[in-house]
Amino acid sequence: GDDEFGDDDFGNEFGDTFGDELGDTRAVVPTNPLVFGSILGGFGNRGNNRDAASVTVSGSKFDAVFPETLALVSEHLEVLVADDNLFRSVDFEVMSLGLKNLTRLTIAANVIGDAFRFVVNSSRVKGPLTLDPFRALTVLDASANRIGLNGLLELGKLQALRRLDLSRNKVSNLTRLHKKQHRDGGDSFENLFPSLTHLDLSGQHP
């Protein structure tokens, strides 16, 4: 019934509906990846990767980004405007770990689905591995993508995030998701978005 929320129901509603849009694996070889030369052309500061405070790479239909590219500017890049491209969930994950000092990200009007996952530090994890996705990010505009309930939960892990625009995505059925979280023993809504002060969920699509 409506009060029950099994794994099959969740998968059927949010996984199968959009297929690869939500599975979002790198099944297709990128044809227009974001490369360092394009980042150089998008600098809003002096044309030197050591001085890269902000970069704009909008409207170029980039369809991939790789860690080695971001490593060249990650220390100094604070603002990235990358709207109106073809970045997917896997690229969003790459950015989350490769842009450790980023404070503002605009990634609206891409094709980010619901498959991205942020692996964060845990007391259960032992060893030198440090995972702290988007550790400095305070403002995120991810409007006009394909992010759903799973993605909302993942974004809730971002400790510094204060303003989030998820308008015109596929976030719906929050009550049902709360039940799923309670059943699965995941983070409750009270533990998500610890720093958030503004959330825009307007204009959601089914």
Side-chain angles (χ1 to χ4, degrees), residues 8-23 114 146 148 150 170 172-173 176 205-206:
D8 291 340
D9 293 333
F10 192 81
N12 290 338
E13 182 169 355
F14 300 109
D16 299 338
T17 302
F18 305 110
D20 288 341
E21 294 178 5
L22 296 188
D114 215 20
R146 301 167 181 175
N150 283 321
K170 297 180 180 293
S172 59
N173 295 321
R176 297 181 70 193
H205 303 289

Side-chain angles (χ1 to χ4, degrees), residues 80-84 87-88 91-92 95 105-112 140-145 147:
L80 176 61
V81 180
D83 54 311
D84 193 19
F87 291 127
R88 304 171 70 191
D91 305 304
F92 196 41
M95 292 178 187
L105 172 61
T106 298
I107 198 162
N110 279 267
V111 290
I112 299 171
L140 172 61
D141 180 356
S143 58
N145 278 281
I147 298 171

Side-chain angles (χ1 to χ4, degrees), residues 38-202:
S38 300
I39 295 177
L40 271 177
F43 280 149
N45 206 334
R46 295 174 293 279
N48 184 312
N49 64 313
R50 295 180 180 275
D51 300 318
S54 64
V55 169
T56 298
V57 289
S58 302
S60 298
K61 304 305 178 187
F62 293 121
D63 60 0
V65 63
F66 300 111
E68 53 269 28
T69 302
L70 298 182
L72 298 172
V73 296
S74 63
E75 287 295 327
H76 302 282
L77 186 59
E78 298 174 3
V79 178
L80 176 61
V81 180
D83 54 311
D84 193 19
N85 286 291
L86 295 172
F87 291 127
R88 304 171 70 191
S89 290
V90 64
D91 305 304
F92 196 41
E93 291 177 345
V94 169
M95 292 178 187
S96 75
L97 293 175
L99 297 174
K100 58 186 179 181
N101 293 322
L102 199 71
T103 61
R104 300 175 68 94
L105 172 61
T106 298
I107 198 162
N110 279 267
V111 290
I112 299 171
D114 215 20
F116 62 89
R117 297 293 179 266
F118 296 147
V119 180
V120 299
N121 290 333
S122 170
S123 59
R124 296 187 297 271
V125 178
K126 305 299 182 182
L129 183 63
T130 299
L131 296 174
D132 197 359
F134 285 134
R135 68 182 186 187
L137 193 68
T138 60
V139 179
L140 172 61
D141 180 356
S143 58
N145 278 281
R146 301 167 181 175
I147 298 171
L149 296 172
N150 283 321
L152 178 65
L153 285 175
E154 292 302 304
L155 292 169
K157 297 176 181 178
L158 302 182
Q159 297 295 301
L161 192 63
R162 300 188 65 183
R163 298 183 65 87
L164 172 61
D165 186 346
L166 278 182
S167 60
R168 293 174 292 150
N169 273 278
K170 297 180 180 293
V171 179
S172 59
N173 295 321
L174 293 176
T175 301
R176 297 181 70 193
L177 181 61
H178 181 72
K179 293 177 181 178
K180 178 182 185 296
Q181 284 301 99
H182 180 73
R183 183 204 65 197
D184 292 348
D187 288 336
S188 68
F189 283 125
E190 292 78 10
N191 296 325
L192 298 175
F193 297 111
S195 302
L196 200 69
T197 61
H198 175 83
L199 173 63
D200 187 347
L201 288 175
S202 61

